[in-house]
């Protein structure tokens, strides 16, 4: 067993996946990877950090690489910070934390501000041999509070704040491990640590056909509505002539209510297909004379 993970704050960190790659050679990334990163305005650093950035843009899952030998007890503990605790982040600034901030710690000390930025005390350096890849899912509002308070918006926090896909954690960890092993001649440790105490449920949202007509002002045939939603990756769990019951995939955290689904249907059906309206009747409230009231 190379490492272990314990989540003490399951509300703010529902899932944490860790993957280990051993005997990695830290060096410059190959040109293809440097070019990919530079093309989107990122600065290449070394093969390990570059891979975590590459996978972030490839899959949308933020990752962090720790130097496993600098994690005391080879352990990761996810817990809330102590009020007023000090921590030096990767940009060499000392931050003062609140108890509402979620921290990634080892057996003795904090090593990263969860979902925002790692710490200097566990960063990958030229002498690093063994890597622990973090691929986690954090509660969006918790990360948003911390990043706003610390005045730090990173590529990772930007995505965590908007809601990542918790189903992607293992895929992203494996993808990063594969690339790090390939570019650093390392060996991927067998298996991964996956702590996921309370799996996140997929939301079920209904969409009524007559409601679509009422909101948009014109009807869209039922079969077209179904087709649009299926092609967007939604699942129809139940249907009748009046409505569809839709299961929302975890990669769409922005879909919460019926109106969100109607917006999706209108967007794909095409706003240009909305027919022009000749006449709109509006009922006006009886006119009241505000001046009399004000004078009084």
């Amino acid at each position: 067993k190379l490492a272990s993970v314990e989540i003490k704050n399951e509300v703010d960190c529902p899932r944490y996946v860790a993957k280990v790659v051993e005997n990695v050679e830290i060096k410059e990334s190959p040109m293809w990877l440097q070019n990919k990163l530079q093309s989107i305005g990122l600065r290449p650093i070394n093969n390990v950090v570059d891979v975590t950035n590459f996978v972030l843009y490839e899959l949308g899952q933020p990752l962090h690489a720790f130097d496993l030998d600098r994690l005391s007890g080879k352990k990761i503990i996810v817990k809330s910070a102590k009020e007023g605790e000090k921590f030096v982040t990767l940009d060499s600034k000392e931050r003062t934390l609140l108890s509402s901030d979620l921290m990634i710690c080892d057996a003795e000390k904090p090593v990263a501000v969860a979902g925002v930025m790692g710490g200097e005390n566990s960063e990958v350096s030229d002498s690093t041999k063994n890597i622990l890849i973090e691929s986690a899912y954090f509660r969006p509002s918790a990360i948003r509070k911390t990043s706003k308070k610390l005045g730090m918006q990173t590529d990772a926090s930007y995505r965590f704040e908007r809601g990542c896909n918790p189903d992607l954690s293992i895929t992203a960890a494996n993808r990063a491990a594969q690339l790090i092993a390939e570019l650093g001649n390392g060996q991927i440790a067998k298996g991964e640590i996956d702590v996921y105490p309370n799996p996140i449920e997929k939301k079920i949202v209904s969409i009524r056909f007559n409601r679509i007509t009422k909101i948009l002002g014109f009807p869209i045939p039922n079969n077209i509505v179904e087709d649009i939603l299926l092609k967007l990756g939604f699942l129809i769990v139940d249907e009748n002539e009046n409505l569809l019951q839709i299961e929302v995939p975890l990669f769409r955290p922005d879909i919460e209510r019926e109106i969100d689904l109607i917006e999706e249907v209108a967007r794909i059906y095409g706003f240009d297909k909305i027919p022009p309206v000749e006449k709109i009747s509006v009922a006006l409230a009886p006119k009241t004379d505000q001046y009399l009231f004000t004078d009084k």
Side-chain angles (χ1 to χ4, degrees), residues 11-14 114-116 137-147 157-166 200 253 256:
V11 175
D12 291 341
C13 176
V116 183
Y137 175 80
F138 301 114
R139 189 167 66 90
S141 52
I143 303 302
R144 189 161 50 244
K145 267 188 198 139
T146 297
S147 99
S157 71
Y158 184 87
R159 287 169 178 75
F160 281 128
E161 286 175 27
R162 285 156 180 77
C164 288
N165 177 3
I200 293 166
E256 294 182 342

Side-chain angles (χ1 to χ4, degrees), residues 104-122:
I104 310 294
C105 307
D106 62 14
E108 292 169 3
K109 61 188 180 295
V111 289
V113 182
V116 183
M117 194 183 275
E120 282 193 325
N121 56 9
S122 60

Side-chain angles (χ1 to χ4, degrees), residues 31-244:
M31 278 326 289
W32 70 264
L33 181 51
Q34 292 196 33
N35 292 340
K36 285 253 192 247
L37 294 177
Q38 281 167 340
S39 72
I40 52 170
L42 293 181
R43 183 172 56 91
I45 296 167
N46 59 45
N47 50 357
V48 172
V49 177
D50 293 354
V51 163
T52 59
N53 283 330
F54 176 74
V55 176
L56 162 65
Y57 280 89
E58 183 181 50
L59 297 175
Q61 168 66 43
L63 302 168
H64 187 64
F66 292 104
D67 182 330
L68 181 58
D69 302 311
R70 291 171 77 180
L71 295 176
S72 70
K74 302 267 195 279
K75 187 167 184 153
I76 289 278
I77 301 169
V78 187
K79 60 181 181 184
S80 300
K82 293 189 185 82
E83 192 76 31
E85 188 173 11
K86 302 269 192 275
F87 180 68
V88 180
T89 43
L90 278 174
D91 52 7
S92 306
K93 291 184 182 155
E94 187 179 69
R95 314 276 177 180
T96 305
L97 305 165
L98 298 179
S99 56
S100 58
D101 298 329
L102 186 67
M103 298 299 287
I104 310 294
C105 307
D106 62 14
E108 292 169 3
K109 61 188 180 295
V111 289
V113 182
V116 183
M117 194 183 275
E120 282 193 325
N121 56 9
S122 60
E123 71 175 310
V124 172
S125 64
D126 295 342
S127 57
T128 301
K129 281 270 166 287
N130 303 313
I131 305 278
L132 180 135
I133 301 163
E134 160 192 294
S135 177
Y137 175 80
F138 301 114
R139 189 167 66 90
S141 52
I143 303 302
R144 189 161 50 244
K145 267 188 198 139
T146 297
S147 99
K148 207 172 170 67
K149 191 192 88 259
L150 296 175
M152 299 163 66
Q153 193 180 55
T154 57
D155 280 348
S157 71
Y158 184 87
R159 287 169 178 75
F160 281 128
E161 286 175 27
R162 285 156 180 77
C164 288
N165 177 3
D167 277 354
L168 211 58
S169 305
I170 288 188
T171 312
N174 285 329
R175 172 68 170 148
Q178 171 225 337
L179 285 169
I180 288 171
E182 208 174 284
L183 305 181
N185 310 317
Q187 290 88 46
I188 301 174
K190 203 167 174 248
E192 61 276 310
I193 302 168
D194 180 11
V195 184
Y196 197 10
N198 308 307
I200 293 166
E201 299 283 316
K202 291 179 181 158
K203 287 196 280 282
I204 303 288
V205 181
S206 310
I207 178 168
R208 295 163 292 175
F209 296 121
N210 62 2
R211 188 74 188 150
I212 302 176
T213 308
K214 189 163 171 41
I215 294 285
L216 300 184
F218 68 100
I220 295 179
N222 295 6
N223 59 328
I224 292 181
V225 171
E226 280 187 42
D227 193 47
I228 288 172
L229 292 171
L230 288 171
K231 283 180 176 165
L232 287 173
F234 296 101
L235 270 182
I236 296 173
V237 286
D238 195 15
E239 60 180 304
N240 58 41
E241 66 274 10
N242 300 321
L243 59 82
L244 300 173

Side-chain angles (χ1 to χ4, degrees), residues 20 28 63 87 149 287 290:
V20 173
E28 265 200 357
L63 302 168
F87 180 68
K149 191 192 88 259
K287 190 171 177 295
Q290 189 65 34

